[in-house]
Amino acid sequence: MPTVANLAANPFFATPAQRTALARERFFERGERPLGLVSEPVIQSWHRCLAAGHRPEATPVFDPVTRTQLRAALDRNHALLQAAGPEIDQLDTMLAGTACKTVLTDRHGTIVRASPPVGGGRGVLDIAGRVGVNLGEHSLGSTAPGITTAAGALVTVSGGEHFYGALREVHCAAAPIRDGLGQLVGVLDVSIEGRTFAFDALALVRLSAAAIENRLLARQARGRVLLRFQASPRLLGTPLEGLAAVDAQGRVAWVNAAGLSLLDQPADEPSAYELEALFGLSLPVLLGCTREAAPQPHRLPSGLQVYLQASLGDEAGAAPAPDDAVMRPAPAAPAPPPAPSAEASLNAMSRQAIDAALVRSRGNISAAARALGVSRGLLYRRLRQRSGA
């Protein structure tokens, strides 16, 4: 059986545990970076833990936060918990025979939901995986949810890759959950103790986190047009679908990660995107798509054909986002005594009011014109002027 002492002379280490043992020796005893032995996110986490004054031989504390702090965390993350509930229920059912435990943390690393104990409540995993326990690096060192909370990385941490030796029997995989602007809102983690995963835990947790993320985004699309798109119509409604929200001015408020990959766009400033430039669609055409039940083929400016479905945020069962500007006109001011002409009335209306009328009429130009008190032809001309036609 090779030992840590003679592993350095053997370039073909027999097991992952042996490679991890060599990595720990090089890092903690020699001060070397164990490149190629453990992943870069783990190495960076080890550095952060040492810089914070942690010592790998110490015993971490698994005390939960106070009841007041926990209540505040649950209140803050109500939308996240609602969006995650169905996915975690399904995940727990799939993992029921595997001795795995599922936890959901907020963006600070505090567990806000956990599956029932898997080891009779006596194992390290059950003690650490309780609602209210903080899994951040400052508490438990290098764990998968701790690294994801700190760095936003999709990561696995196996056995001795954990900073603290007390966690050497735990194996975990974690994925970030982000909002429409790419900000971390939570972390989904699957862990097992005393054995390695017998399946691709990282792929599973990544897919489940994407489903939670999409459901959370859809709930926050109220007052906007929610656009679903993918290269195959069979992928719509799955965690792999692209999602985007379009506001009353034709601006794309956000695009999820799957959508950005299809559009080949950076994720740094999604709020700066324009509907026409990004999708090759005008707002009236997009609103017309909300009346179509079946996915519609559409060619993007890049030349890629996708299938898309559009719905109003209210129809999608979306919950209001705290800072969202809804796609509705401001309360109408009292009409002045002299009734202006239809042309003058239309010219005096704001762009947002016209779009709001189109939203209420689900893209029906005739109904929107009636609501605005103008002719259909006049409204068509105004829309053509806006699109530059």
Side-chain angles (χ1 to χ4, degrees):
M1 178 82 175
T3 64
V4 171
N6 64 27
L7 280 174
N10 182 3
F12 303 104
F13 309 129
T15 67
Q18 291 172 354
R19 290 193 292 272
T20 302
L22 178 59
R24 292 184 72 87
E25 178 189 299
R26 287 183 175 177
F27 185 86
F28 292 112
E29 297 179 23
R30 304 182 196 175
E32 301 172 357
R33 287 179 64 84
L35 296 176
L37 296 173
V38 294
S39 68
E40 185 61 25
V42 169
I43 295 174
Q44 292 179 7
S45 178
W46 284 357
H47 274 295
R48 289 192 297 268
C49 292
L50 285 181
H54 298 290
R55 293 294 174 262
E57 67 276 6
T59 301
V61 178
F62 304 123
D63 290 341
V65 298
T66 66
R67 289 187 177 183
T68 301
Q69 291 172 320
L70 177 58
R71 189 178 304 110
L74 294 176
D75 288 343
R76 284 195 309 269
N77 293 281
H78 178 70
L80 173 63
L81 286 164
Q82 278 195 322
E87 294 303 324
I88 294 182
D89 287 342
Q90 183 178 5
L91 192 57
D92 285 344
T93 298
M94 286 190 291
L95 298 174
T98 66
C100 289
K101 187 177 183 70
T102 305
V103 298
L104 175 71
T105 80
D106 67 6
R107 63 189 181 92
H108 302 293
T110 299
I111 298 177
V112 292
R113 173 163 173 168
S115 58
V118 294
R122 296 180 298 274
V124 171
L125 188 56
D126 283 337
I127 296 172
R130 294 172 293 157
V131 171
V133 172
N134 189 285
L135 302 182
E137 284 182 343
H138 64 281
S139 298
L140 294 186
S142 304
T143 65
I147 294 174
T148 303
T149 300
L154 177 74
V155 66
T156 57
V157 177
S158 299
E161 292 179 346
H162 288 84
F163 181 84
Y164 287 114
L167 299 175
R168 62 184 175 275
E169 295 297 322
V170 176
H171 303 264
C172 47
I177 300 169
R178 303 182 186 278
D179 63 15
L181 299 179
Q183 300 299 311
L184 185 74
V185 295
V187 173
L188 181 66
D189 173 82
V190 172
S191 298
I192 194 168
E193 183 176 0
R195 69 188 84 168
T196 58
F197 292 113
F199 55 93
D200 190 342
L202 192 62
L204 181 61
V205 76
R206 180 179 189 174
L207 197 65
S208 298
I212 294 170
E213 193 172 276
N214 286 355
R215 184 174 284 108
L216 184 64
L217 291 173
R219 286 173 178 269
Q220 294 176 342
R222 185 175 183 178
R224 293 170 172 165
V225 175
L226 181 64
L227 181 60
R228 304 176 185 270
F229 58 101
Q230 245 298 350
S232 169
R234 291 187 295 272
L235 295 178
L236 295 177
T238 76
L240 301 179
E241 70 178 350
L243 287 180
V246 182
D247 68 15
Q249 285 73 42
R251 292 189 299 261
V252 180
W254 50 255
V255 184
N256 71 349
L260 288 173
S261 67
L262 287 169
L263 298 166
D264 192 26
Q265 294 289 332
D268 48 1
E269 292 186 13
S271 60
Y273 299 149
E274 295 290 335
L275 176 65
E276 187 75 40
L278 204 57
F279 289 96
L281 286 169
S282 67
L283 185 60
V285 171
L286 177 63
L287 292 170
C289 290
T290 63
R291 294 180 290 162
E292 303 292 339
Q296 301 298 306
H298 174 71
R299 199 163 297 279
L300 297 172
S302 66
L304 176 68
Q305 178 174 286
V306 297
Y307 287 83
L308 56 84
Q309 284 181 308
S311 61
L312 303 184
D314 293 343
E315 291 179 350
D323 301 322
D324 280 355
V326 297
M327 214 170 177
R328 307 194 192 286
S341 66
E343 183 77 36
S345 297
L346 183 58
N347 289 333
M349 290 178 182
S350 69
R351 182 176 181 174
Q352 183 175 359
I354 296 173
D355 292 335
L358 286 166
V359 170
R360 291 197 304 273
S361 65
R362 305 184 190 279
N364 187 308
I365 299 295
S366 298
R370 287 195 298 271
L372 293 170
V374 299
S375 70
R376 184 175 62 177
L378 187 57
L379 185 54
Y380 267 122
R381 287 196 297 275
R382 179 61 180 269
L383 293 172
R384 282 197 298 270
Q385 289 170 1
R386 281 172 42 182
S387 63

